Amino acid sequence: MFSQDTSSIVEQIALKEANQKLVYAPTEKTGVLVVDNFPTLGKLTALRFIEWVQQNKGGVVSLPTGKTPEHFIRWVTYFKNNWDKPEAQKELEIAGIDPSIRPDFHSLHFVQIDEFYPVHPQHHNSFFHYVNKFYIEGFGLDKSKALLIDCNKIGLPKGMDLDDVWPTQAVDLSLRYRHGKTNLEKLQTQVLENVDQWCSEYEEKIRSLGGIGFFLGGIGPDGHIGFNVQGSDFYSTTRLTATNYETQAAAAGDLGGIEVSRHRLVITVGLATITYNPECTAIIIAAGEAKAKVIADALQNKKHIHYPATVLQDLKNARFYLTKGAALKLVERQFENITKLETISDEIVEKYVVDLAAEKRKRITDLTLNDYESNRFCSSILSKRGESYKTLNKFVIDKLISKFEKGTKPRFNQVFLHTEPHHDDLMLGYLPYIVRNTRDGSNTHYFVTLTSGFNAVTNTHVHNLLTKLKNFLEGGVFDKLLNEGYFDPKSVTGRNRDTWQYLDGVAANKEIMKEEGEARRLLSNLFYIFEDDNIDNLKNRINELLNYFQTQYPGKKDLPHIQRLKGMIREWEADCLWGYLGFNSSSVLHMRLGFYKGEIFTEEPTVNRDVLPFLEVLRKVNPDVVSLALDPEASGPDTHYKVLQVIAEALKLFQQETGRDDIEIWGYRNVWFRFHPSEANLFVPVSLNMFATLESSFMNAFASQKGASFPSYEHDGPFSELAQNIQVEQYQTLKKCLGREFFYESPSPLYRATRGVVYLKSLSMKEFFDMSASLKKKTENL
């Protein structure tokens, strides 16, 4: 590892304000700056980039694609467009940048980091389109100085396009090593050789410029930078290569589903490309606790191909810019945080004692003084608390048991408002607790989804539904219902009957009954979308839609009415889910908030468009309990965080109107983001019976999701399976802490039947407002 360059004024000021060191030896191998949240991360990165551009006119830059650079792009654009305004100049000066030197973005050479292959450059989900829109045009770079990856211009014979060479979009790399058997395979072999030659020339062009001077990248779920996945050679150069499952899962949203991304190759600069220039300022940005492990692996391990980003240890100007969540597993920083504390909170005690039990593989009650003293965190806590280790053991055990008691206590005469950003977030988060609280008839439940969720529905799925509907119509199955006005979109009875028809099919295990229920709702939705009750016109519309879904490339942003159709398919699925528990459409609400539009960067919520509609729901329901996806640092989909802010603002307005300050807030997390046991204060036991319910209801209700087209990088399968895995892991953690006897020998059959645990965090309104206020202050629109 080189000694770290500390000449950046922007970094010096940021480190001083945060009271941090650049590197915490001995574990950290590269410089790190930690900020509070995702938007602040983007601002710091933008300021460092501007500082570098001021000092390196005509330099070579390589900038990332995807959602990670959202706030970086916004802040660079803000400063570029407002450079001469006093407020912008003041911010620049505070950050250590001389506002008298306007950065010359037009002088820069730009290098595109990577691209899917094959992909048409004009497609909006191509990285070629992204860098042209946000960097070449957005930053005002000189396109003539840009090295871009345009797949239409790479290796194709004259007069041919990508579809001629790769008609199925699948590329067989074995053609590099074997003879083609058909004329098409022989053509593909030629093109592959041409692409490999182009990659070699691309690499040479980068090196002829002196290499990359400023590299900015995210880090993938497997630790990849660029598309250099785990196992990539540190001496790798620009190349056409395959990816791994984790990368394919992360790319599924861009490409329209895992079915597509599994077969896409990538062209990427290599690890040696990034590090060729020894003076390169290489910055990796990461936000959220979900990235904490890959960040710790990249920073705390010696160079190893299993951790691609460890190659940056060769660069003295390499940095990791992180949010607090992403830095959570950097042990030296966490230890210093502990040592700086004058008092140790109960939650900190609980966290480290639970972790100690896991480390020693002991029940908490069996932890000894030697165990505490062998762990510097626990040793420090023991000293600062001034209590014996036996006292701390008992405290944590009692705390964990009290959380189970709270999670098993029956609730009566309560009005529950269960909210979710997407249509399956509730069930994946805490379905067992919902079910438990539906068993008493004095409770009232409402389920509300705040976005339309159309991004999660593939073209293939809609095409299949439309084909089945067309067959029902051609067979005259719906003639009687049409004459009765059954499909009137305003008919609540009709919508409820659709759901009961489908669930009757589930019970009878008859696909035709389920398909009829689906088709009924789809036809009603088409009447609604096209505002036309003429069935002949609707049949023509169905043919148009079938053609649309056959011809559109996966991942393309849909037209508004297509988005509405896909969203209504998700709404139908939610109706079916809650129908499992006996709830009809009067209890299931669909918000379709306006900030969710399918753009690469989701808009910020606004009061009139997004907050006030949810306030109306609060007025209607007047809840005692409101649940929400508690993702304050945007570790999961950014809609989780934005929905959280909508709910917070609406609850404040509701409190002002009604004077109510007694509403209980339940924060849940699911497959995207998880609680440590110390963060949660309500544990819900989960039985095998509930796991069966979770699996059955997910696979039957969420037909668009059971194929796992947009899966987690952690699990190659439906989200219901991952949710079960997580709940089982959480149970195993607590069983280790409390001992198997706590469950197996309990007098309660509820505990004896426990095979999983759901973690929830119960908050008062004040606690929730305090948590969301500081973050909101830093995330307002520029």
Side-chain angles (χ1 to χ4, degrees):
M1 181 184 75
F2 287 98
S3 61
Q4 299 292 304
D5 186 288
T6 57
S7 60
S8 166
I9 303 300
V10 167
E11 290 185 348
Q12 289 177 25
I13 291 174
L15 288 167
K16 185 176 180 180
E17 286 184 353
N19 193 23
Q20 298 173 5
K21 293 184 291 187
L22 182 63
V23 177
Y24 285 76
T27 58
E28 293 179 7
K29 310 296 192 294
T30 308
V32 176
L33 284 85
V34 179
V35 299
D36 288 339
N37 56 60
F38 191 28
T40 307
L41 180 70
K43 184 177 183 180
L44 173 63
T45 310
L47 290 165
R48 178 66 183 103
F49 175 64
I50 289 169
E51 179 186 42
W52 187 92
V53 175
Q54 285 182 327
Q55 298 167 355
N56 294 272
K57 185 175 181 178
V60 182
V61 302
S62 204
L63 304 175
T65 53
K67 292 183 179 294
T68 301
E70 173 182 3
H71 293 285
F72 164 73
I73 292 170
R74 288 185 178 181
W75 278 106
V76 171
T77 304
Y78 167 77
F79 286 121
K80 174 179 175 290
N81 294 340
N82 297 278
W83 191 268
D84 296 323
K85 293 183 179 179
E87 58 270 26
Q89 295 206 343
K90 183 178 179 181
E91 286 195 79
L92 291 166
E93 286 179 340
I94 291 172
I97 291 176
D98 184 351
S100 69
I101 305 173
R102 183 183 288 271
D104 186 358
F105 296 112
H106 196 70
S107 72
L108 299 173
H109 295 265
F110 179 83
V111 174
Q112 184 175 338
I113 297 172
D114 45 29
E115 180 61 280
F116 298 114
Y117 186 86
V119 67
H120 290 280
Q122 69 270 24
H123 287 184
H124 286 196
N125 57 357
S126 74
F127 292 162
F128 178 87
H129 177 269
Y130 184 110
V131 299
N132 273 280
K133 178 178 179 179
F134 293 111
Y135 297 139
I136 306 299
E137 298 173 15
F139 288 6
L141 306 183
D142 184 349
K143 191 168 185 177
S144 68
K145 295 179 181 177
L147 296 179
L148 302 176
I149 306 175
D150 180 346
C151 294
N152 270 346
K153 296 180 180 179
I154 301 176
L156 296 176
K158 188 174 181 179
M160 286 192 170
D161 64 21
L162 290 167
D163 293 332
D164 295 325
V165 178
W166 314 107
T168 66
Q169 306 297 304
V171 179
D172 182 0
L173 287 180
S174 73
L175 289 170
R176 281 175 169 163
Y177 317 111
R178 65 177 177 85
H179 293 295
K181 296 179 181 179
T182 65
N183 288 335
L184 179 60
E185 283 195 344
K186 291 175 182 177
L187 171 64
Q188 291 173 341
T189 300
Q190 175 192 343
V191 171
L192 275 177
E193 291 173 350
N194 293 342
V195 171
D196 289 341
Q197 176 63 24
W198 181 92
C199 289
S200 179
E201 293 170 0
Y202 191 81
E203 180 75 19
E204 182 56 36
K205 289 176 182 178
I206 296 170
R207 297 188 177 213
S208 69
L209 292 171
I212 297 168
F214 186 96
F215 177 89
L216 179 64
I219 187 165
D222 67 327
H224 71 248
I225 54 175
F227 273 124
N228 296 283
V229 300
Q230 282 183 348
S232 294
D233 192 330
F234 287 147
Y235 299 97
S236 58
T237 57
T238 304
R239 63 205 185 280
L240 174 68
T241 184
T243 59
N244 55 16
Y245 169 74
E246 292 88 347
T247 304
Q248 293 160 6
D254 293 319
L255 294 176
I258 190 73
E259 302 87 351
V260 180
S261 60
R262 281 190 199 278
H263 301 291
R264 282 287 193 277
L265 302 186
V266 293
I267 295 174
T268 182
V269 300
L271 295 176
T273 317
I274 298 169
T275 58
Y276 174 75
N277 178 358
E279 300 298 318
C280 175
T281 295
I283 299 173
I284 300 299
I285 53 177
E289 192 175 332
K291 289 292 176 71
K293 185 179 185 305
V294 293
I295 289 296
D297 288 339
L299 282 165
Q300 297 178 160
N301 283 292
K302 295 179 180 179
K303 283 182 62 179
H304 194 288
I305 61 171
H306 194 66
Y307 313 112
T310 56
V311 74
L312 299 180
Q313 294 172 21
D314 291 342
L315 297 175
K316 64 181 179 181
N317 293 317
R319 300 286 186 271
F320 283 72
Y321 288 3
L322 311 171
T323 63
K324 288 181 177 178
L328 197 63
K329 294 185 182 294
L330 300 181
V331 294
E332 299 298 336
R333 291 173 187 268
Q334 297 306 315
F335 183 66
E336 177 152 309
N337 290 340
I338 291 290
T339 59
K340 286 179 178 178
L341 293 174
E342 292 184 8
T343 59
I344 302 294
S345 70
D346 290 349
E347 184 175 320
I348 290 176
V349 171
E350 186 181 349
K351 170 181 165 47
Y352 285 102
V353 172
V354 166
D355 290 347
L356 182 64
E359 175 193 330
K360 302 299 182 182
R361 301 184 65 82
K362 288 182 174 182
R363 297 182 304 171
I364 293 173
T365 192
D366 295 330
L367 293 173
T368 66
L369 180 59
N370 285 339
D371 291 329
Y372 273 79
E373 291 179 341
S374 70
N375 179 294
R376 56 179 171 161
F377 288 92
C378 290
S379 178
S380 178
I381 288 169
L382 202 60
S383 174
K384 286 177 176 287
R385 287 282 288 212
E387 298 169 271
S388 71
Y389 76 92
K390 290 184 178 180
T391 300
L392 294 186
N393 284 352
K394 184 177 186 306
F395 165 75
V396 175
I397 291 169
D398 291 345
K399 192 77 172 176
L400 295 177
I401 292 173
S402 72
K403 295 178 182 183
F404 271 111
E405 291 171 346
K406 188 173 181 180
T408 55
K409 183 179 179 180
R411 292 175 178 255
F412 308 102
N413 299 305
Q414 299 273 287
V415 177
F416 297 87
L417 179 59
H418 306 278
T419 79
E420 57 185 352
H422 308 96
H423 298 79
D424 50 8
D425 283 324
L426 283 170
M427 78 166 311
L428 296 172
Y430 68 106
L431 182 66
Y433 204 40
I434 294 174
V435 171
R436 189 159 296 145
N437 284 293
T438 61
R439 290 172 179 161
D440 188 275
S442 68
N443 292 325
T444 303
H445 295 266
Y446 293 92
F447 308 91
V448 56
T449 309
L450 280 86
T451 74
S452 59
F454 51 77
N455 282 333
V457 182
T458 66
N459 292 347
T460 299
H461 181 71
V462 187
H463 189 276
N464 290 340
L465 293 179
L466 288 165
T467 300
K468 293 173 186 176
L469 172 59
K470 184 178 180 180
N471 291 337
F472 277 112
L473 290 173
E474 290 177 349
V477 176
F478 293 160
D479 288 353
K480 182 179 178 182
L481 294 175
L482 283 164
N483 292 332
E484 294 173 355
Y486 175 94
F487 297 101
D488 182 350
K490 297 178 182 178
S491 172
V492 175
T493 300
R495 300 180 77 78
N496 287 334
R497 283 178 60 187
D498 298 340
T499 305
W500 308 141
Q501 166 70 26
Y502 183 86
L503 294 176
D504 284 347
V506 172
N509 199 25
K510 291 188 176 180
E511 286 297 316
I512 189 64
M513 293 175 67
K514 293 163 60 178
E515 290 172 359
E516 182 176 339
E518 281 179 329
R520 288 184 189 181
R521 177 61 64 87
L522 181 57
L523 182 56
S524 177
N525 289 342
L526 293 176
F527 279 127
Y528 172 83
I529 290 169
F530 293 113
E531 298 179 343
D532 190 341
D533 59 3
N534 184 296
I535 191 59
D536 291 325
N537 292 342
L538 257 294
K539 289 178 180 178
N540 291 331
R541 291 285 194 180
I542 290 170
N543 288 328
E544 292 171 4
L545 289 169
L546 286 168
N547 180 66
Y548 175 91
F549 290 113
Q550 278 183 316
T551 57
Q552 297 305 302
Y553 64 85
K556 179 182 179 181
K557 181 185 176 183
D558 288 313
L559 300 170
H561 73 282
I562 301 295
Q563 292 179 342
R564 176 60 58 85
L565 175 60
K566 287 185 173 182
M568 294 179 85
I569 289 170
R570 292 289 273 148
E571 292 167 3
W572 151 253
E573 292 175 341
D575 287 350
C576 290
L577 170 66
W578 304 120
Y580 253 75
L581 303 182
F583 295 97
N584 59 32
S585 59
S586 64
S587 299
V588 186
L589 311 176
H590 306 295
M591 298 282 302
R592 307 171 187 168
L593 292 186
F595 75 80
Y596 186 89
K597 294 182 177 179
E599 302 290 349
I600 180 68
F601 302 137
T602 307
E603 291 182 13
E604 296 296 326
T606 64
V607 172
N608 289 334
R609 182 189 61 192
D610 303 304
V611 175
L612 294 184
F614 187 70
L615 176 60
E616 283 300 316
V617 173
L618 291 172
R619 289 167 176 159
K620 171 186 174 182
V621 173
N622 192 25
D624 299 303
V625 177
V626 174
S627 71
L628 50 86
L630 192 61
D631 186 9
E633 203 184 326
S635 275
D638 59 355
T639 45
H640 287 203
Y641 155 71
K642 288 171 181 174
V643 163
L644 181 148
Q645 292 298 338
V646 168
I647 294 172
E649 291 304 306
L651 278 169
K652 288 176 186 176
L653 295 174
F654 187 68
Q655 183 187 52
Q656 292 169 12
E657 283 184 6
T658 64
R660 287 197 63 183
D661 59 4
D662 60 340
I663 298 174
E664 183 180 0
I665 310 299
W666 286 350
Y668 64 87
R669 293 174 181 169
N670 51 38
V671 297
W672 302 111
F673 199 57
R674 298 166 200 177
F675 288 116
H676 187 277
S678 63
E679 296 177 291
N681 54 16
L682 195 157
F683 294 163
V684 181
V686 183
S687 67
L688 290 174
N689 181 55
M690 272 310 312
F691 282 140
T693 300
L694 172 68
E695 176 74 6
S696 172
S697 59
F698 185 90
M699 296 303 286
N700 280 299
F702 292 105
S704 70
Q705 305 303 300
K706 64 183 182 181
S709 293
F710 303 97
S712 165
Y713 68 88
E714 295 181 88
H715 180 73
D716 190 0
F719 281 135
S720 55
E721 294 178 357
L722 179 56
Q724 178 171 336
N725 292 346
I726 291 168
Q727 291 167 23
V728 169
E729 288 171 8
Q730 292 174 169
Y731 159 68
Q732 294 292 346
T733 296
L734 294 173
K735 187 173 73 169
K736 197 172 296 178
C737 289
L738 296 173
R740 65 174 63 89
E741 300 84 3
F742 176 79
F743 296 98
Y744 298 167
E745 298 176 14
S746 170
S748 168
L750 180 61
Y751 287 128
R752 294 198 303 272
T754 299
R755 296 298 177 269
V757 177
V758 167
Y759 294 168
L760 294 173
K761 187 175 183 67
S762 174
L763 299 163
S764 68
M765 292 177 75
K766 183 180 184 306
E767 288 170 333
F768 176 56
F769 293 155
D770 288 346
M771 185 200 70
S772 63
S774 61
L775 189 59
K776 179 180 182 298
K777 183 179 179 181
K778 297 176 182 177
T779 56
E780 292 171 345
N781 288 329
L782 296 175

